[in-house]
Amino acid sequence: MVNTLTLNPAMDKILYIDRFQRDITNRARRQLLTVGGKGTHVSMTLQKLGIQNRAFGFGYGRNGQTIIRALEEQGIETRFFYSDQDDRESRTNYVIIEETHGSSTTVAERGVEPTAPEVAWLLDCLERETASGDALVLAGDASNFRDPLIYCHIMRRLKGKKVRIFLDASGPSLKRSLEEGPYLIKPNRDELAELCGLAIQTDQDVLTALKKLERYDIPVIAVSLGGDGSVVKMGGEIYRVKPPKIDAVNTAGCGDSFLSGILYGLEKGLTTEETLDYATAVSAAAAACSLSIGFDEALRDSLLHKAKIVKL
């Protein structure tokens, strides 16, 4: 079973404008409201790909209720701690998309800090309902927690269950979690530079950084290079992946889509090259979508086998 955990889910309010200008009133041409949060994005993308999964998280107030309902309406099992007591409300993120040149900017609220009993409830639930061999995606913002090492605590709690951890985090949470034996990490160029204390500018710099990470014995390291693709260590080999050309509209959810594609390949028993090709096609199709989550399936299919994958 694939599981996801979203510690700080949100509703994404997407505002579409021609061009953002400072110090004036920018009027949106249109707006959309979708579910936000990296873990929930992975859950919804996996479900779209036909991979049944279970979503864990916290939800508060009307926004939390909307998030849980949206997941369940797609057939996703939910194990959320939910409360509508007091005035706590799951956060809203504001995504500004400049349609003239396809750039996106996010303004994120901090979100609700769960209480100690609420965290204990969720940890007990995770330990009770995950099984050996399960995948657990720990992804996204945890700035609502005072403890920056919350992901480390979760990994330690589940270590005896042999759950495969797919970690998409940054900063101290990522660095300290390496010692806990994640199955996958997915740093971008800046996160890899911070992790290894190196300037990452070229593919050779990425290879040098991956060499420094060998002592952790992490089976999959997927380094995101934005529109220039990725460098991925997987199956004992390192691959340079260059995506097909597309007209990008919103790149906000591309990393979540790429991770979902990797999970799809692993669940379906695809070869490494097939997995990377599929993940790249899903990610590229997501970049061409105006939403922060979702993609056009026909476009994804047309992009299959279009990525350039070279073993380094």
Side-chain angles (χ1 to χ4, degrees), residues 185-229:
I185 61 173
K186 195 182 72 63
N188 60 28
R189 194 192 307 267
D190 293 338
E191 290 163 350
L192 184 66
E194 182 181 359
L195 197 60
C196 296
L198 299 171
I200 306 295
Q201 297 178 340
T202 68
D203 287 356
Q204 185 55 52
D205 294 335
V206 176
L207 293 177
T208 301
L210 291 177
K211 187 74 175 175
K212 288 192 69 173
L213 294 176
E214 282 183 355
R215 66 189 183 94
Y216 296 107
D217 195 26
I218 302 168
V220 182
I221 303 176
V223 182
S224 172
L225 302 175
D228 198 31

Side-chain angles (χ1 to χ4, degrees), residues 16 30 97 99 102 244-254 257 280-300 302-303:
Y16 299 88
R30 59 192 175 103
I97 295 181
E99 296 188 286
K245 297 293 183 182
I246 52 102
D247 292 324
V249 176
N250 180 13
T251 59
C254 293
S257 298
T280 302
V282 174
S283 179
C289 177
S290 62
L291 300 176
S292 58
I293 181 172
F295 59 89
D296 181 87
E297 294 177 82
L299 178 58
R300 174 207 57 196
S302 73
L303 294 173

Side-chain angles (χ1 to χ4, degrees), residues 163-195:
V163 173
R164 294 173 297 148
I165 302 295
F166 290 70
L167 180 66
D168 186 3
S170 60
S173 185
L174 172 59
K175 193 163 190 174
R176 292 286 295 274
S177 293
L178 299 183
E179 302 284 355
E180 305 304 326
Y183 183 84
L184 171 147
I185 61 173
K186 195 182 72 63
N188 60 28
R189 194 192 307 267
D190 293 338
E191 290 163 350
L192 184 66
E194 182 181 359
L195 197 60

Side-chain angles (χ1 to χ4, degrees), residues 29 37 122 130 140-141 151 210 243 269-270 273 278 282 287 296 299:
R29 292 165 57 97
L122 190 66
T130 55
D141 177 56
Y151 283 140
L210 291 177
L270 302 184
E273 288 89 346
Y278 189 86
V282 174
D296 181 87
L299 178 58

Side-chain angles (χ1 to χ4, degrees), residues 18 77 130 255:
D18 284 332
E77 295 181 49
T130 55

Side-chain angles (χ1 to χ4, degrees), residues 2-189:
V2 178
N3 307 274
T4 69
L5 172 62
T6 311
L7 294 176
N8 199 10
M11 293 302 299
D12 283 351
K13 190 168 189 177
I14 308 174
L15 305 173
Y16 299 88
I17 64 175
D18 284 332
R19 183 169 62 89
F20 180 78
Q21 300 180 68
R22 295 171 60 93
D23 302 321
I24 69 166
T25 299
N26 292 266
R27 300 194 183 280
R29 292 165 57 97
R30 59 192 175 103
Q31 64 183 44
L32 290 171
L33 197 62
T34 66
V35 173
K38 296 177 80 65
T40 52
H41 281 184
V42 171
S43 268
M44 296 175 86
T45 302
L46 284 172
Q47 201 73 11
K48 189 177 179 70
L49 297 176
I51 302 296
Q52 184 66 42
N53 65 94
R54 184 190 296 122
F56 294 81
F58 296 97
Y60 301 95
R62 183 176 298 178
N63 275 357
Q65 189 176 64
T66 301
I67 291 165
I68 295 167
R69 185 186 303 120
L71 292 165
E72 291 177 344
E73 284 176 351
Q74 292 198 19
I76 298 166
E77 295 181 49
T78 60
R79 299 294 188 273
F80 269 59
F81 175 88
Y82 174 75
S83 174
D84 60 0
Q85 302 300 311
D86 55 54
D87 60 351
R88 293 187 297 170
E89 184 77 32
S90 293
R91 63 189 176 136
T92 298
N93 292 336
Y94 301 88
V95 183
I96 302 169
I97 295 181
E98 297 182 68
E99 296 188 286
T100 303
H101 44 78
S103 69
S104 62
T105 302
T106 300
V107 180
E109 293 182 346
R110 183 174 184 270
V112 175
E113 180 179 4
T115 66
E118 291 167 359
V119 174
W121 181 94
L122 190 66
L123 289 177
D124 288 344
C125 189
L126 275 167
E127 187 171 21
R128 182 173 62 251
E129 301 214 21
T130 55
S132 178
D134 276 6
L136 173 62
V137 177
L138 302 179
D141 177 56
S143 62
N144 54 325
F145 280 76
R146 296 181 192 179
D147 184 352
L149 303 181
I150 181 63
Y151 283 140
C152 298
H153 302 323
I154 293 169
M155 293 170 71
R156 288 172 193 153
R157 177 76 174 263
L158 299 177
K159 182 163 285 189
K161 302 202 72 172
K162 294 182 168 49
V163 173
R164 294 173 297 148
I165 302 295
F166 290 70
L167 180 66
D168 186 3
S170 60
S173 185
L174 172 59
K175 193 163 190 174
R176 292 286 295 274
S177 293
L178 299 183
E179 302 284 355
E180 305 304 326
Y183 183 84
L184 171 147
I185 61 173
K186 195 182 72 63
N188 60 28
R189 194 192 307 267

